Amino acid sequence: MMKKYKIGFLFTFLILLFHAQTKIKEIGNDDRKTKQKDLQEIRITGKPKKSLSKKENPAYKILQGIWKNKERNNIQSLDFYDYRKYTSVNIGLNNIDSTVAKKILGNDYATLRKASREGDQTEEKITIPIFLNELSERIYGHKGEERTDIEGERKSGLNEVGRGFGVERFSQTFTTVNPYEDDIKILDKTFVSPLSSRGYGVYNYILKDSISEGDQKMYTIHFFPKNPEDLLFQGHFNVVDKAFAITEILMKTTKQINMSLVRDLSIEKYYSETNDGVYLPEKSIYEGNFTLLSKRKDETGAYVKKEVNEYEYQLNQPKEPSFYKEKIVQTRSDQFEKNDEYWQKHIELSKNTQETLQLIRGLKSNARVHGITSVVNVFSTGYLDLFKGLQAGSIWNTVSNNDVEGLRLRMGFRTFMTEDDKFRLTFYGAYGNRDHKFKYGVEGIYLLSSQPRIVIGASHLRDNLQLSGKLLDPNDLLPRNKTSFITRGKNYDLSNVMRNAVNFDLAFDKNLHLNISGVHQQIQSADSNAFSMDYVLPNTTEIHNKLTDFTTNMTLIYTPGRNVYGYGAEQKFGKLPFTTIMLKYTKGYKGILNSDFDYNKLQLSVEKNFFLSNFGLLNASVEMGKIFNTVPISLLSPVPANQSISVVSKTFSLLNYYNFVTDTYIMGNLEHHFNGFILNRIPLLNKLKLRSFIFYRFAYGSISQNNIDINRSSIMYTAPNKMYSEYGFGIENIGYGNIRPFRVDFIWRSKVDEVFGITPPNFGVRFGFSPGF
């Protein structure tokens, strides 16, 4: 029977296909007349066995019409418009086993179970909402320039609002999605839109239905990814002829998609027609489900659901040009908070939102649920609540190892009431079992002003630092270096640093900062028997082993496109890659606070991310710097090395510390992540969900004779006056089930004529840990 069914289906399909080809020929080949001609009625059901050519597929004619008219159906192409927008974001846990839920919820289980039965859940599985954010806005636009006025906001959470679950980042899983654009960015990935002009190369399209409605026809087109592992969707959209506008589109990721932590992502968008015949967004529903072990539908995990309603459109009602340039800046998390009376009067809440709000409020006092959200918060932030107002952490930097200190144990603390604290005090202490010395650092920052945003800070540090591991650092307070437990080679080249710093940060815009700092520090070798930092002052013969340095620093930081969260002294940033431009000028003053050297240093860094659609993501960066005066080794610019076995950005994995020392340098890094574009197409290997990437990094620099002349350290200065480079490839997305945070890099280097110390190996393997999607 099955064979007969398949043969019958194939026979029917061929007849319909022949009929479609005949009708297309009748339409003609003049694409410019597409929007004036009615397309043929046709019904094709089922996924095609093979891709149809453009001439064979009647859906292609409709796609051409969509491409030609997409600007007309883009709201930002209109002269003047304004509308209201209501957004709700619901985050929680789903597929919780009922037995476990009873133990967690206790007496609250019956209430939750009653609400769950009204949904599509089974008796054995329930959902626990954790956080709900609602936002009411009025948006005014004029040819792409928009002004957004927030009219009301309401946040409801089981834990302290804004804490646990990485709420702000998690709620940004879906930004505004425009399917007319060629690429859709979700999380840190780029999906090819089914309406993209490049879509025919990666999707199969089927024209399934056509329905006459008055003097126009409505067509339904189904789309399927040609390769289900790629970052693509499956689903369908409805389009009207003549205007070639989308009236609705539903798209969802496949079960086979090469993404970690994600079970599925889905997007629904509905459009309505205005009096001017333009179709504008009316309702959008975004949903993401996240799991650790598998992509099974019944797997326990987390979800985020976002609903957007856009209504009360008013077109062609112009306002003064200055009106559109005015911006209302949010400076407090509760700035637009409205009570329940406002929401009842102004917003018609969906039944799902009303139930979610009631459940969250009902479960808020449940101690066990509070405990679960606290545990999640520890793993998402790295900090553990000790008591109200104080946390311990970060737990990820507790243990490390080096040859001077031996096993290094570190414990840190910070004050914490909410994410939006105006004042934050951080302290850490560290102890090594080999040197038996206590090291510490303390930092305080305070939000002096919200508009303009001004943060002041101060720090005091007595610790051992590796000065050959980083060049340009925008932060002059406590160092943010990651620690490593497993290292290669010897690492005696640590510097003992006593540093006092004050800092002033002014934000002209959330993505444009001016940072001014003053730093006074004393630097000497952490182990003078193994590593010397000696120098002589110019035109003298007296040897010094300790440097006293006082500098002022001005750093301009520009990060267009970066998502910024938080209104306190500290802010967090979104995961979506963004461009970063940093320009830093350092001035050293001889004689002030016993400082030993006058010098000037200028550094510039540019990082840019190139989204290359389904071909992946290219991360590119270049950094350059120059010291204009004579200084000792502690103030020079060693090419940053990495003697751990892990991957560290902006460092060279095959170099040892101080292999190269410069006072003028340029270095760059290119790393292209294919996001599965290559390995998804290799049979059997594609089942492993691995992804490939390639990289190339280089360093070039010089060292002046004056700096060489004052050197009396154990380091003989050697500069990479012939370009040094490392290159190779790697495999990422390694792990088990749906969690795949590991990567492996295979690295080669260019030939080097001379380096200080041990010649670096020609080849190496490094490992990375980077949880992501």
Side-chain angles (χ1 to χ4, degrees):
M1 284 294 293
M2 185 60 66
K3 288 184 178 180
K4 290 182 179 179
Y5 173 79
K6 289 183 177 179
I7 293 172
F9 172 81
L10 180 61
F11 182 71
T12 304
F13 177 79
L14 291 174
I15 292 176
L16 291 173
L17 181 59
F18 175 78
H19 182 63
Q21 287 178 292
T22 303
K23 289 291 184 182
I24 291 176
K25 291 178 181 178
E26 293 173 0
I27 290 175
N29 295 321
D30 189 357
D31 292 337
R32 291 173 298 177
K33 298 179 180 179
T34 301
K35 61 184 179 182
Q36 285 118 19
K37 286 182 178 265
D38 287 339
L39 296 171
Q40 75 283 7
E41 285 194 31
I42 189 167
R43 288 177 177 269
I44 299 180
T45 59
K47 185 176 180 179
K49 299 295 183 182
K50 66 174 184 177
S51 299
L52 301 178
S53 69
K54 296 176 181 178
K55 292 183 178 180
E56 294 175 315
N57 195 342
Y60 183 71
K61 282 287 183 181
I62 300 176
L63 289 169
Q64 287 180 304
I66 293 172
W67 301 332
K68 290 180 180 179
N69 289 272
K70 68 177 182 179
E71 288 302 321
R72 180 178 183 272
N73 294 301
N74 182 1
I75 188 172
Q76 294 188 345
S77 67
L78 302 178
D79 288 337
F80 300 96
Y81 60 89
D82 68 82
Y83 62 96
R84 294 187 180 275
K85 182 177 180 180
Y86 168 74
T87 304
S88 68
V89 179
N90 175 16
I91 298 173
L93 304 172
N94 57 11
N95 289 328
I96 305 295
D97 185 87
S98 59
T99 304
V100 175
K102 287 178 183 178
K103 294 180 180 179
I104 295 174
L105 301 175
N107 296 331
D108 292 319
Y109 175 78
T111 303
L112 188 62
R113 181 71 266 172
K114 181 180 178 182
S116 298
R117 283 183 180 143
E118 297 179 5
D120 57 357
Q121 304 177 70
T122 66
E123 291 290 330
E124 293 76 24
K125 303 287 184 179
I126 68 168
T127 293
I128 301 179
I130 298 237
F131 178 80
L132 177 66
N133 183 48
E134 299 170 89
L135 189 65
S136 174
E137 301 168 291
R138 184 72 178 266
I139 298 173
Y140 306 87
H142 171 48
K143 288 191 173 180
E145 185 175 20
E146 286 190 341
R147 165 180 168 173
T148 300
D149 292 358
I150 300 177
E151 298 183 340
E153 187 173 20
R154 178 168 60 178
K155 295 180 180 180
S156 308
L158 294 184
N159 211 328
E160 293 92 336
V161 173
R163 288 194 58 202
F165 239 63
V167 165
E168 290 293 348
R169 285 179 176 170
F170 206 40
S171 64
Q172 294 294 323
T173 297
F174 300 99
T175 54
T176 301
V177 171
N178 181 1
Y180 285 107
E181 294 180 350
D182 284 340
D183 296 311
I184 297 173
K185 296 182 179 65
I186 304 178
L187 301 171
D188 56 351
K189 299 290 186 291
T190 303
F191 292 72
V192 179
S193 170
L195 303 184
S196 168
S197 57
R198 292 179 281 101
Y200 209 84
V202 294
Y203 285 104
N204 285 320
Y205 296 91
I206 299 175
L207 176 58
K208 184 176 180 181
D209 293 309
S210 62
I211 302 174
S212 296
E213 295 183 356
D215 61 345
Q216 63 183 11
K217 291 181 180 178
M218 180 80 68
Y219 298 95
T220 299
I221 294 179
H222 286 243
F223 52 88
F224 307 89
K226 292 183 177 180
N227 191 324
E229 285 87 8
D230 286 347
L231 298 179
L232 302 167
F233 299 100
Q234 63 182 3
H236 73 270
F237 57 85
N238 293 345
V239 56
V240 294
D241 68 348
K242 298 180 180 177
F244 286 96
I246 302 299
T247 61
E248 71 174 50
I249 183 167
L250 290 82
M251 43 190 178
K252 185 174 183 177
T253 57
T254 66
K255 185 179 180 180
Q256 300 94 329
I257 192 169
N258 191 344
M259 290 191 75
S260 299
L261 302 175
V262 174
R263 182 172 65 204
D264 57 65
L265 305 169
S266 64
I267 299 171
E268 300 178 35
K269 292 185 73 74
Y270 302 90
Y271 299 78
S272 59
E273 185 179 10
T274 66
N275 294 332
D276 295 339
V278 179
Y279 287 79
L280 299 177
E282 179 180 27
K283 184 174 184 178
S284 303
I285 302 173
Y286 310 95
E287 188 164 2
N289 288 283
F290 305 88
T291 56
L292 291 177
L293 300 180
S294 73
K295 295 182 184 288
R296 296 200 323 266
K297 288 185 177 181
D298 60 346
E299 180 76 41
T300 300
Y303 72 88
V304 54
K305 185 171 184 179
K306 178 178 180 179
E307 294 189 26
V308 182
N309 290 278
E310 294 157 296
Y311 55 99
E312 294 184 10
Y313 282 98
Q314 297 183 30
L315 307 182
N316 300 319
Q317 296 187 14
K319 301 182 184 299
E320 293 296 323
S322 59
F323 175 84
Y324 298 98
K325 298 183 182 298
E326 293 179 10
K327 305 293 181 184
I328 300 176
V329 180
Q330 185 170 2
T331 58
R332 307 189 322 271
S333 60
D334 61 349
Q335 184 172 337
F336 302 107
E337 284 284 340
K338 294 292 192 298
N339 57 26
D340 290 352
E341 183 180 351
Y342 166 86
W343 298 98
Q344 293 170 2
K345 181 178 180 181
H346 293 90
I347 304 297
E348 185 178 347
L349 299 181
S350 68
K351 185 178 180 181
N352 179 62
T353 301
Q354 292 176 5
E355 291 175 349
T356 300
L357 184 62
Q358 292 173 2
L359 287 171
I360 288 177
R361 289 177 173 177
L363 295 174
K364 193 167 186 177
S365 60
N366 190 296
R368 292 180 179 177
V369 173
H370 181 88
I372 291 175
T373 57
S374 296
V375 171
V376 173
N377 183 60
V378 171
F379 285 98
S380 63
T381 67
Y383 284 88
L384 173 68
D385 289 329
L386 296 179
F387 50 82
K388 188 172 183 180
L390 186 67
Q391 294 181 322
S394 166
I395 60 176
W396 313 120
N397 292 328
T398 303
V399 181
S400 61
N401 179 66
N402 63 70
D403 290 307
V404 175
E405 298 171 280
L407 181 66
R408 174 184 165 107
L409 300 178
R410 181 184 187 276
M411 178 60 70
F413 305 90
R414 71 174 183 178
T415 59
F416 188 97
M417 295 297 291
T418 72
E419 293 281 359
D420 296 322
D421 288 345
K422 284 192 172 183
F423 175 71
R424 179 85 73 231
L425 181 66
T426 303
F427 169 81
Y428 78 86
Y431 182 81
N433 72 343
R434 180 173 297 175
D435 67 345
H436 303 293
K437 293 181 180 179
F438 180 72
K439 282 77 63 174
Y440 66 90
V442 59
E443 172 186 292
I445 56 175
Y446 178 71
L447 179 64
L448 187 66
S449 169
S450 295
Q451 185 60 26
R453 180 179 168 83
I454 300 174
V455 178
I456 58 175
S459 67
H460 174 65
L461 167 78
R462 286 182 179 270
D463 200 353
N464 295 332
L465 304 179
Q466 179 50 259
L467 301 183
S468 183
K470 178 181 285 189
L471 289 175
L472 175 56
D473 192 344
N475 175 58
D476 291 310
L477 298 178
L478 289 188
R480 302 294 194 265
N481 295 342
K482 294 182 179 179
T483 59
S484 179
F485 181 69
I486 303 176
T487 60
R488 61 177 182 83
K490 298 297 183 181
N491 182 12
Y492 290 100
D493 309 323
L494 293 175
S495 300
N496 182 259
V497 180
M498 187 286 292
R499 177 192 296 166
N500 295 303
V502 293
N503 189 79
F504 175 89
D505 186 88
L506 168 64
F508 300 105
D509 177 81
K510 68 178 182 178
N511 286 320
L512 180 60
H513 286 246
L514 175 63
N515 190 285
I516 301 174
S517 65
V519 178
H520 178 254
Q521 59 184 344
Q522 292 180 343
I523 306 173
Q524 61 184 338
S525 172
D527 184 351
S528 57
N529 294 322
F531 172 51
S532 168
M533 304 186 75
D534 293 353
Y535 65 94
V536 297
L537 293 173
N539 304 317
T540 70
T541 58
E542 183 180 355
I543 297 177
H544 297 259
N545 58 19
K546 179 188 291 187
L547 169 77
T548 301
D549 179 50
F550 175 75
T551 63
T552 57
N553 308 275
M554 294 181 62
T555 307
L556 190 65
I557 306 172
Y558 181 47
T559 55
R562 178 177 64 175
N563 290 328
V564 182
Y565 314 124
Y567 304 97
E570 286 185 327
Q571 290 187 308
K572 294 183 178 180
F573 311 114
K575 288 291 188 181
L576 192 68
F578 51 86
T579 299
T580 301
I581 302 173
M582 285 191 291
L583 178 64
K584 183 173 184 177
Y585 170 65
T586 300
K587 171 62 179 175
Y589 302 88
K590 183 177 181 180
I592 298 181
L593 298 178
N594 297 318
S595 180
D596 294 320
F597 286 89
D598 259 320
Y599 64 96
N600 298 272
K601 179 191 288 188
L602 191 62
Q603 294 170 286
L604 172 66
S605 172
V606 179
E607 297 181 47
K608 174 71 175 177
N609 302 284
F610 298 91
F611 288 94
L612 303 178
S613 191
N614 52 315
F615 296 103
L617 173 68
L618 173 63
N619 300 319
S621 67
V622 62
E623 181 180 326
M624 59 190 72
K626 181 174 179 60
I627 300 170
F628 293 92
N629 308 89
T630 303
V631 293
I633 189 171
S634 52
L635 299 178
L636 289 173
S637 301
V639 174
N642 171 24
Q643 286 190 209
S644 71
I645 65 167
S646 59
V647 178
V648 180
S649 64
K650 295 186 177 180
T651 64
F652 292 85
S653 298
L654 299 182
L655 287 182
N656 299 314
Y657 299 125
Y658 295 102
N659 271 168
F660 290 122
V661 177
T662 73
D663 54 28
T664 303
Y665 72 90
I666 180 172
M667 68 176 191
N669 180 72
L670 296 171
E671 187 168 290
H672 182 74
H673 298 260
F674 289 98
N675 287 337
F677 180 77
I678 294 176
L679 299 185
N680 286 350
R681 285 156 176 76
I682 301 177
L684 298 181
L685 195 60
N686 59 357
K687 305 298 182 183
L688 299 177
K689 304 299 181 185
L690 301 175
R691 305 176 196 152
S692 59
F693 61 91
I694 57 176
F695 57 86
Y696 175 80
R697 41 186 176 255
F698 68 89
Y700 176 80
S702 61
I703 185 77
S704 70
Q705 188 61 45
N706 288 338
N707 285 324
I708 294 174
D709 290 342
I710 71 166
N711 177 39
R712 297 296 184 272
S713 72
S714 58
I715 306 297
M716 293 182 59
Y717 296 169
T718 302
N721 47 30
K722 292 184 179 179
M723 185 179 293
Y724 173 80
S725 59
E726 293 181 356
Y727 48 89
F729 71 94
I731 303 296
E732 58 186 344
N733 209 42
I734 302 171
Y736 176 78
N738 210 24
I739 180 168
R740 298 170 169 273
F742 301 104
R743 63 181 267 180
V744 179
D745 293 36
F746 302 92
I747 309 167
W748 290 262
R749 66 165 175 84
S750 61
K751 182 180 178 181
V752 291
D753 294 332
E754 184 181 2
V755 296
F756 169 75
I758 301 174
T759 302
N762 293 318
F763 172 76
V765 179
R766 299 292 179 267
F767 304 91
F769 179 81
S770 137
F773 302 100

